[in-house]
Amino acid sequence: MGSKGSKSPTPSPFLDTPWREINWNNKKSALQYVKNYKPHIEGRQLRILLYGPVGAGKSSFINSVQSVLRGKMCAMALVDNESHDCFTKMYTAYKMEKETPNTFYPFVFNDIMGLSPVKGVLVDDVKLALMGHVKKDYAFNPESKLSEGNQFYNEEVNPNDKVHVLVCVIPANTARNMRDETLRKIREIRIAASRLGIPQVAILTKIDQTCPEIKEDLRTIYRSADVKEEMEQFSVNVGIPMNCIFPVKNYSEEIDLNDDTDTLILRALRHIIDFGEDFMNHKMNQAEDSHRYA
């Protein structure tokens, strides 16, 4: 009696144990790791290309990285809260300045026009950027790709012009509902990067907008079944492995830094640096082998 019509309790959206381990008290050593990074190859600069849907948070991620490294809020890359159209129009390079003025980290972020089902950056232009053929400040044209002979077409490519890590930035709250045309473009860019051997990472932004609990406490992120499902579905859709997808929260409305936010950003950044460094060293070894056996 009384059991008829009773409903089973709704399962919690949070798992009892984290599905990915993270040391939340490791910010200091993670920050020092990035600060100490120096490419093995003398004079080399690690180039990181960000791409993704319009309004995904590419520019905000760049600002968040700079904020963590400088220990204060920075707004180097311009951000537009009204993300109905592509705000970033040009091929923009951002160097990360150190505490000492006019000294920079040996990695640079490139931001491009967002992907869009209708307009947005052309896949062919992203492919050219991967190979180092796009010069800084090139204004992307959604109607026609950059061609040889254009003043912004880089014909004399050196190793520092080429992309060493490709980072797909996607919003967590729309990752599994992305338009088919946008997914097709992401897959096409991934294939082009894979053919060049370029390592690839995905940054899942806006995780605080997925549910109130994560917004309240970022440390619940790796116990969230919903976030795990978003990542798994995106992994299936575009082919980026789960261990190369990193959820982060960009700084947007805050005026002070937060250790948990910093920890997620630094974890993603460290993996990006490691992947890029391995790729640069691999390319150098390939070049040495080809000269040796030529």
Side-chain angles (χ1 to χ4, degrees):
M1 187 176 170
S3 61
K4 217 175 194 180
S6 63
K7 294 182 179 178
S8 57
T10 305
S12 170
F14 290 91
L15 307 173
D16 292 333
T17 56
W19 48 269
R20 181 182 286 176
E21 295 295 333
I22 182 171
N23 184 351
W24 292 100
N25 302 312
N26 198 37
K27 175 190 166 181
K28 188 175 180 180
S29 62
L31 180 59
Q32 197 58 50
Y33 181 89
V34 175
K35 289 188 172 185
N36 291 343
Y37 169 66
K38 183 180 179 182
H40 177 72
I41 306 171
E42 190 70 30
R44 193 57 59 86
Q45 178 179 254
L46 182 68
R47 187 169 298 279
I48 304 159
L49 176 61
L50 305 184
Y51 77 109
V54 173
K58 299 183 295 298
S59 300
S60 293
F61 180 67
I62 292 171
N63 286 336
S64 297
V65 168
Q66 179 75 96
S67 298
V68 175
L69 296 179
R70 294 292 302 276
K72 65 178 184 179
M73 286 298 173
C74 299
M76 181 170 55
L78 295 179
V79 176
D80 184 18
N81 287 331
E82 298 293 330
S83 57
H84 307 300
D85 194 8
C86 307
F87 188 64
T88 301
K89 307 287 187 184
M90 297 190 297
Y91 190 55
T92 314
Y94 295 99
K95 292 182 178 180
M96 302 284 122
E97 191 172 26
K98 294 187 174 184
E99 289 85 354
T100 306
N102 297 318
T103 59
F104 300 90
Y105 287 93
F107 51 84
V108 59
F109 284 92
N110 276 103
D111 194 8
I112 62 172
M113 192 179 202
L115 296 172
S116 170
V118 183
K119 290 187 177 181
V121 66
L122 295 177
V123 171
D124 283 339
D125 278 343
V126 181
K127 292 177 181 179
L128 288 174
L130 292 173
M131 296 183 285
H133 287 302
V134 182
K135 290 184 180 180
K136 180 185 172 185
D137 295 334
Y138 168 65
F140 291 103
N141 183 349
E143 306 298 329
S144 63
K145 71 173 186 177
L146 176 65
S147 58
E148 292 185 48
N150 188 294
Q151 62 175 323
F152 287 99
Y153 186 94
N154 184 19
E155 297 193 21
E156 298 180 4
V157 177
N158 71 59
N160 282 340
D161 296 326
K162 297 179 180 180
V163 170
H164 304 109
V165 190
L166 178 64
V167 179
C168 183
V169 182
I170 52 164
N173 51 353
T174 61
R176 77 173 93 182
N177 300 317
M178 209 173 294
R179 298 273 292 273
D180 288 343
E181 182 61 19
T182 302
L183 285 173
R184 184 193 65 76
K185 290 180 178 181
I186 290 174
R187 284 193 292 264
E188 192 176 339
I189 291 167
R190 263 185 49 71
I191 290 170
S194 297
R195 286 173 178 162
L196 295 168
I198 299 171
Q200 298 160 55
V201 168
I203 299 294
L204 198 71
T205 61
K206 305 183 182 182
I207 55 171
D208 53 313
Q209 296 180 21
T210 56
C211 70
E213 290 86 352
I214 294 177
K215 186 177 179 66
E216 181 68 26
D217 182 7
L218 277 181
R219 295 194 178 198
T220 61
I221 181 65
Y222 286 127
R223 288 199 302 111
S224 169
D226 288 341
V227 170
K228 186 171 186 282
E229 285 176 15
E230 289 281 357
M231 289 172 56
E232 287 173 337
Q233 188 57 57
F234 182 74
S235 176
V236 169
N237 288 344
V238 303
I240 298 177
M242 278 287 284
N243 62 0
C244 294
I245 304 176
F246 301 94
V248 303
K249 180 197 178 307
N250 288 334
Y251 284 111
S252 56
E253 58 190 28
E254 301 83 359
I255 58 173
D256 295 308
L257 298 180
N258 172 275
D259 282 348
D260 291 342
T261 301
D262 291 357
T263 297
L264 290 174
I265 291 169
L266 285 167
R267 193 179 210 206
L269 181 60
R270 176 169 180 166
H271 280 83
I272 290 170
I273 288 172
D274 286 346
F275 290 158
E277 176 67 16
D278 289 345
F279 174 65
M280 284 197 298
N281 292 335
H282 176 66
K283 296 297 283 185
M284 182 186 71
N285 292 334
Q286 279 186 325
E288 288 178 348
D289 287 343
S290 64
H291 287 310
R292 188 178 300 124
Y293 297 110

